[in-house]
Amino acid sequence: MRDWAYSLKKGFRSLRRMTTFQWIQFVAMTLLAIFMLLPIVYLVNHALKPFNELFLYPPTFIAKQPTLQNFTDLIVVTQSSAVPVTRYLFNSIVMSVLVFVTSCLISVLCAYPLSKHKFPGRGVIFSGIIISLMFAPEMVGIPRYFVISNLGIINTYWGHVLPLVAMPVGVFLMKQFIDQIPDELLEAAKVEGAKEFRIFARIVVPLCMPAVATTAILSFQTAWSSDETSTLFMEDETMKTLPFFVNTLTNNLSNNVANQGAAAAVALLLFIPNFIIFLAMQRKVITTMMHSGIK
């Protein structure tokens, strides 16, 4: 309690010492932060709106009569479906965790030799990774389907994971971050007798944890919100994910209106994990951007 009071008192003292220009910056940044929070506020209020407020025109930003009826409707909808929503949720969690782990591992394993080892074709490989950032996912949809089909992993969790593990953005961020590690540090470790894997695991990975955290956020957000793998590679309904289930709530005219409340509730539930993970790792994301040439 005393620490909190001391911090608050110190903050007020800092405000008193601010110049006019600093006050203008403070007010502008505060207004910008409030503006950036508006989509989150709208998403929460939209999930709490009663059915009659969902279709008001002009639409209301704040729920006049907030209610949890949308979440009750979601439970009713899932009880009438052939596959319970818990199955979709379980598939999403398993898929997101697997993508989360494998994409970070593959990205750092790819970035380290590109950054610290000289071998023929290194520049060509890195250029190819950068060029792949320009391709939209729709352009590689058909080749990706043939690869997944020929591997025989349709209707499996690996059919969810494999199309999403390659992250050119993650490789780029980690490569740029590892470039900042002095070569002398790695050479000193080799002189001390450290093997390549030990240098990688004990020195490189701990030093580039901000980049790993950023890649983890990006990979989790991609996997958690993606319904592409469920649509293209999953024929068994029990193997599909929660975002796919959300689309089925409003994807035809017969239930486009009736299930809008349940869809709003699920949208909030999908947003919460991404929000929590970003808040937990935001400092590392900022550190990554400062050391990766993105300014």
Side-chain angles (χ1 to χ4, degrees):
M1 187 66 179
R2 292 180 180 178
D3 293 338
W4 179 83
Y6 175 77
S7 299
L8 185 62
K9 187 176 181 179
K10 187 177 180 181
F12 279 119
R13 288 178 179 176
S14 299
L15 291 176
R16 292 176 182 176
R17 298 172 183 172
M18 287 170 51
T19 63
T20 303
F21 180 71
Q22 290 175 331
W23 268 106
I24 294 174
Q25 285 184 314
F26 176 76
V27 173
M29 296 302 295
T30 302
L31 294 176
L32 180 61
I34 294 174
F35 178 76
M36 298 296 290
L37 285 174
L38 291 181
I40 300 176
V41 175
Y42 178 80
L43 181 64
V44 174
N45 278 273
H46 192 65
L48 298 177
K49 287 180 180 179
F51 186 79
N52 61 323
E53 291 187 28
L54 290 172
F55 302 97
L56 286 179
Y57 185 83
T60 58
F61 192 83
I62 303 296
K64 298 178 181 179
Q65 298 177 341
T67 177
L68 298 177
Q69 183 61 39
N70 292 333
F71 297 91
T72 304
D73 293 342
L74 174 62
I75 296 175
V76 173
V77 170
T78 57
Q79 288 177 345
S80 61
S81 62
V83 180
V85 69
T86 52
R87 178 65 186 184
Y88 295 110
L89 179 61
F90 175 78
N91 292 338
S92 290
I93 293 174
V94 173
M95 168 194 174
S96 300
V97 171
L98 290 175
V99 172
F100 174 89
V101 174
T102 54
S103 62
C104 290
L105 181 62
I106 290 175
S107 295
V108 71
L109 286 174
C110 180
Y112 173 60
L114 288 175
S115 176
K116 295 302 181 182
H117 290 269
K118 296 181 180 180
F119 56 90
R122 181 181 64 167
V124 176
I125 294 174
F126 185 67
S127 299
I129 293 173
I130 299 301
I131 292 174
S132 66
L133 293 171
M134 298 186 297
F135 290 92
E138 292 77 11
M139 296 183 63
V140 295
I142 294 177
R144 184 180 292 174
Y145 177 83
F146 281 113
V147 171
I148 300 300
S149 177
N150 291 332
L151 289 176
I153 56 176
I154 289 181
N155 288 327
T156 66
Y157 285 114
W158 288 114
H160 282 299
V161 175
L162 192 60
L164 302 178
V165 295
M167 289 194 61
V169 174
V171 175
F172 172 76
L173 291 176
M174 289 192 183
K175 195 263 183 188
Q176 298 298 96
F177 203 93
I178 296 174
D179 284 345
Q180 309 299 320
I181 301 176
D183 294 336
E184 293 78 7
L185 179 62
L186 305 184
E187 293 296 332
K190 291 180 181 178
V191 171
E192 294 294 330
K195 301 298 183 182
E196 192 69 41
F197 180 78
R198 188 179 182 87
I199 294 174
F200 172 77
R202 294 295 183 89
I203 299 178
V204 175
V205 173
L207 290 177
C208 67
M209 281 306 295
V212 174
T214 304
T215 304
I217 292 175
L218 296 176
S219 61
F220 181 86
Q221 289 179 340
T222 300
W224 183 255
S225 60
S226 175
D227 65 339
E228 177 188 359
T229 56
S230 295
T231 303
L232 298 179
F233 311 129
M234 301 297 137
E235 299 173 357
D236 188 353
E237 191 70 21
T238 60
M239 289 300 300
K240 296 182 179 181
T241 57
L242 190 60
F244 178 85
F245 173 73
V246 174
N247 290 335
T248 61
L249 292 176
T250 57
N251 66 349
N252 57 68
L253 295 178
S254 63
N255 62 8
N256 189 36
V257 174
N259 290 332
Q260 281 294 335
V266 177
L268 178 60
L269 295 177
L270 284 173
F271 168 75
I272 290 175
N274 285 328
F275 185 64
I276 293 175
I277 289 179
F278 180 79
L279 287 181
M281 299 183 177
Q282 60 175 332
R283 292 183 181 273
K284 294 186 181 297
V285 173
I286 296 173
T287 303
T288 302
M289 298 308 173
M290 292 175 58
H291 291 82
S292 298
I294 302 177
K295 300 181 180 178

